[in-house]
Amino acid sequence: MDGIDGRVRSAVDVWLRWLPRWQIGTARPRTRICRKCTGSPIASAAGFGPDVPHAVQHALIGRISTIVEDAVDEYTAKNLPLLQRELERAAARKRHAGYQPTEGLSPEFQGLDVDPEPSPGEPFLFTLDEMTGTGAGEQTPREPLSDEAKAALRHEIALSDECARATGTAVCLALVEHRPRVAEAVERLVEPQIAALVTDMFRGFDGPEGTGRPGLF
């Protein structure tokens, strides 16, 4: 796990530089559960509470997840030749799969919907999702694996999963050390925006003559 502490510190530093650019007014409401963030131990390690907006959490969780993914990739390339070959084949198929709008995104945006929800009665002329696969090339069918190769590949996948679990644990332990930095940034940059939004939502709800009662109910 050499270098995990430094990688986590760097990821938090990048997130702290990104956070001042986030604005609550530009955040899109989600229509689906985010598989990357829901139940993530990284969110717990960072100390995120339920009131922290999803986009704020997702940006850090994405960057920390990349550390785990990179560590597994390094381990696989060095120690798991069968799995590495399958991953290279999958990458080659992806290169021939045409336009993929979710590829090449920065960690802040990976796993998010590529298209916003259309307004009622105002459909989009086209969406990025509809363009997925544009320009795809013909795929060469691969030869099936033997039973022995399948068993060996399953063993290497199990080793890869164990590497991911161990790295994930190390990453979360390292991230706990940065909770004060994360909490301070959320308190300074995020919570005032939430408070201002709530104030704006309830502005004008006071009753007549300052009674404090809703004027319409």
Side-chain angles (χ1 to χ4, degrees):
M1 300 306 171
D2 293 342
I4 289 294
D5 289 346
R7 294 184 188 185
V8 170
R9 184 180 304 106
S10 295
V12 174
D13 288 344
V14 173
W15 179 78
L16 290 173
R17 291 194 295 269
W18 168 85
L19 190 57
R21 302 197 300 272
W22 177 80
Q23 298 294 324
I24 194 169
T26 62
R28 294 204 320 249
R30 287 192 58 81
T31 58
R32 291 180 290 183
I33 293 175
C34 179
R35 290 179 293 178
K36 183 182 289 289
C37 297
T38 301
S40 172
I42 297 174
S44 299
F48 287 136
D51 295 333
V52 177
H54 171 256
V56 173
Q57 297 192 45
H58 189 96
L60 182 57
I61 290 172
R63 289 212 168 264
I64 298 297
S65 296
T66 298
I67 298 173
V68 179
E69 294 163 3
D70 288 347
V72 174
D73 287 345
E74 293 171 8
Y75 175 79
T76 300
K78 291 179 181 178
N79 303 289
L80 308 176
L82 294 178
L83 180 56
Q84 179 63 26
R85 185 178 64 184
E86 291 302 312
L87 292 174
E88 290 173 353
R89 286 175 174 171
R93 290 194 297 271
K94 186 176 293 186
R95 287 193 295 271
H96 289 84
Y99 175 61
Q100 301 296 320
T102 60
E103 294 297 316
L105 300 177
S106 65
E108 289 84 4
F109 305 106
Q110 292 174 4
L112 299 178
D113 296 337
V114 295
D115 296 301
E117 286 294 311
S119 300
E122 299 179 9
F124 297 121
L125 294 177
F126 65 89
T127 64
L128 292 176
D129 190 53
E130 291 171 347
M131 296 176 65
T132 299
T134 302
E138 185 176 350
Q139 301 278 351
T140 302
R142 57 161 298 167
E143 296 182 3
L145 295 174
S146 66
D147 291 340
E148 294 79 5
K150 290 179 181 178
L153 183 58
R154 283 194 292 268
H155 176 66
E156 290 196 358
I157 291 174
L159 293 175
S160 174
D161 289 342
E162 179 57 33
C163 175
R165 284 191 292 269
T167 306
T169 298
V171 160
C172 286
L173 290 174
L175 183 57
V176 168
E177 300 299 320
H178 297 275
R179 275 187 177 182
R181 301 171 67 200
V182 172
E184 188 278 333
V186 169
E187 181 179 3
R188 176 169 50 88
L189 298 169
V190 177
E191 291 182 0
Q193 294 191 52
I194 296 175
L197 179 63
V198 171
T199 299
D200 186 63
M201 289 173 58
F202 286 95
R203 183 176 292 120
F205 274 30
D206 286 341
E209 300 179 1
T211 63
R213 298 177 181 175
L216 298 178
F217 300 95

